[in-house]
Amino acid sequence: MLVDFRNEPLTNFQDPTFHRAMKEALEDVRRGFGREYPMRIDGRDRFSGHWIRSADPSRPKELVGQVAAATREDAMDAVEGAWSAFEGWARVPAEARARCLFKAAAIMRRRKFHLAALMCFEVGKTWSEADADVAEAIDFLEFYGREMIRLARSHPLTRIQGEDNEVIYEPLGVGVVIPPWNFPLAILTGMTVSSVVAGNAVVLKPASASPVIAAEFAKIMDEAGIPPGVIQFLPGSGGEIGDVLVSHPQVRFVTFTGSRDVGVHIYELAAKVQPGQKWLKRVIAEMGGKDAIIVDSDADLDDAAAGIVTSAFGFAGQKCSACSRVIALEDVYEPILERVKALTERLKVAPADLEEASYGPVVDRAAYEKVLQYIEIGQTEGQLVTGGGPAEGDGYFIKPTIFRDVPPDARIAQEEIFGPVLAFLKAKDFDEALRIANGTQYGLTGGVYSRNRAHLEQARRAFEVGNLYFNRKITGALVGAHPFGGFHMSGTDSKAGGQDYLLLLTQAKVVSERF
């Protein structure tokens, strides 16, 4: 009997056994640096002669591995092969498809430290962040497997005398999965296996900054029994194969997590009906945020400061849910800023594989230069409180940076920076705080620290975000507990990790038989 879903527990690295296991995994992964990984089309390895090189952002001269880069021809082959695989996979019973996910979850549990260590090196996640990433991937496998079993059961319809009526949720066909690099295992896993357990076949185009962990995922899914071709593993640049995949007339849906600009381009391209296409493509998109925490006059300031620092600077602020704005009411503005500054200046920026690191580098040179440019912009828009430039080390390290007295229309208060930069804004009352919070094109996560029940209820109605948190950090959404997705330009509010999600990857057929 299948037990109820429970979130995968996080690892306590204070336990000597787990601490030693993580150290050994880091050493083992380092010994494997420089390996070459193929793309995988129709269950067969393929090399193109071109490579995506993945370096350690803590030590950019060290090559974690290199993965074969697909060409346009490879992309066409992958879509065609996915359709061939779909025909058989769609007929596999939902329970059998779910069992493949449960087996993959068991494999990930056995390899948890190896997978976490690989993320420490490939994208600069600290021990705890990498461990949480693996746990979330396992959660997606366990949760979506159970959800598909539930969805495949009989669903009652209104009874009509003399008729038998039923609703069936069928797979869509072939989809393209374009995950981000910042949760290189968790979000990639969730986006891919939700599509697959629903009976679809997919072309998985991993992020170019994290192709090695994606290759490990593809290997695990093979071991778990997913038939050849159901997941076509197709690393490659967006410029080379992205538009080819999205615009392909045989692609039925696209799932994407990434930047606003790329998401809008995908949405536009997918909306155009191509010659020979006989459906309107679905797009499931999550496109970032400019997330705010409001600090009310009666808030617990110590609690708020701890939540703000964790939300703003965990993983160097490279989360779509990260707090990049604090909107504090006038009478608590100075004391909350003082507390946040003090906690921020205790953070240790260091190579992510070192257990003492509070956070590691940003992911690559392009991100490093972009964040530093925003810090320069911030110098003209607000007053620097702490940080303000590169941190020590040979990697892409940036000091945790805070600006105060930032106007609501400033660029650092409007644009997604995706780095360790936090803007403090002042509001005269709670109504103004909400107006400022809602005054961007995004609507992903938000938070309120307050003891005022009327203000919390007001925010419950008026704070325009898909995920709203009261008196806690605004990062760390758990599968099942916090279905995740945002409003406005943050995406299609798809609620990943929730009971509605698989409906987006299926189509409902109603069958009525007259007796």
Side-chain angles (χ1 to χ4, degrees), residues 460-507:
R460 190 185 296 268
R461 296 187 306 272
F463 203 150
E464 297 171 2
V465 292
N467 287 74
L468 178 59
Y469 302 97
F470 292 158
N471 296 312
R472 54 148 286 174
K473 65 178 183 173
I474 65 172
T475 54
L478 287 174
V479 172
H482 312 114
F484 191 79
F487 298 170
H488 308 317
M489 279 296 173
S490 287
T492 56
D493 194 36
S494 53
K495 289 297 181 277
Q499 291 193 338
D500 301 331
Y501 195 74
L502 293 188
L503 296 176
L504 304 173
L505 299 159
T506 57
Q507 51 193 356

Side-chain angles (χ1 to χ4, degrees), residues 133-347:
D133 199 301
V134 181
E136 186 176 4
I138 293 170
D139 283 349
F140 278 127
L141 290 160
E142 295 282 2
F143 182 81
Y144 287 140
R146 286 165 173 78
E147 279 300 294
M148 191 62 233
I149 292 172
R150 180 184 67 83
L151 199 63
R153 293 172 183 151
S154 175
H155 298 271
L157 297 172
T158 300
R159 304 304 299 173
I160 298 177
Q161 186 174 0
E163 280 190 6
D164 178 56
N165 302 305
E166 67 171 338
V167 60
I168 303 166
Y169 293 95
E170 297 184 337
L172 297 174
V174 168
V176 174
V177 177
I178 307 175
W181 55 262
N182 63 328
F183 286 83
L185 184 62
I187 295 181
L188 176 147
T189 297
M191 293 172 68
T192 305
V193 304
S194 55
S195 300
V196 166
V197 79
N200 303 296
V202 298
V203 179
L204 169 60
K205 194 203 87 63
S208 293
S210 55
V212 175
I213 190 70
E216 292 288 336
F217 164 81
K219 185 190 306 180
I220 288 170
M221 298 311 293
D222 279 349
E223 292 179 37
I226 298 294
V230 171
I231 300 175
Q232 305 276 355
F233 178 59
L234 199 75
S237 72
E240 177 70 18
I241 65 171
D243 286 3
V244 173
L245 292 171
V246 172
S247 63
H248 197 295
Q250 288 184 282
V251 166
R252 179 67 176 81
F253 65 94
V254 180
T255 65
F256 167 78
T257 299
S259 72
R260 175 203 179 278
D261 290 347
V262 175
V264 168
H265 174 71
I266 288 172
Y267 207 78
E268 292 175 341
L269 191 59
K272 182 176 176 59
V273 177
Q274 304 293 333
Q277 182 178 319
K278 63 177 184 178
W279 45 62
L280 298 176
K281 295 182 183 180
R282 290 189 188 176
V283 175
I284 303 167
E286 195 269 277
M287 305 191 303
K290 191 64 185 173
D291 311 306
I293 291 177
I294 295 174
V295 183
D296 203 355
S297 299
D298 62 353
D300 181 328
L301 297 187
D302 290 331
D303 190 34
I308 288 166
V309 171
T310 299
S311 300
F313 300 121
F315 191 38
Q318 298 174 114
K319 300 179 183 180
C320 52
S321 59
C323 174
S324 58
R325 297 179 295 156
V326 173
I327 304 166
L329 272 64
E330 289 178 336
D331 49 355
V332 294
Y333 186 83
E334 296 298 340
I336 188 62
L337 177 57
E338 180 183 341
R339 285 168 170 80
V340 171
K341 176 179 182 291
L343 291 178
T344 298
E345 290 177 345
R346 296 178 196 169
L347 298 175

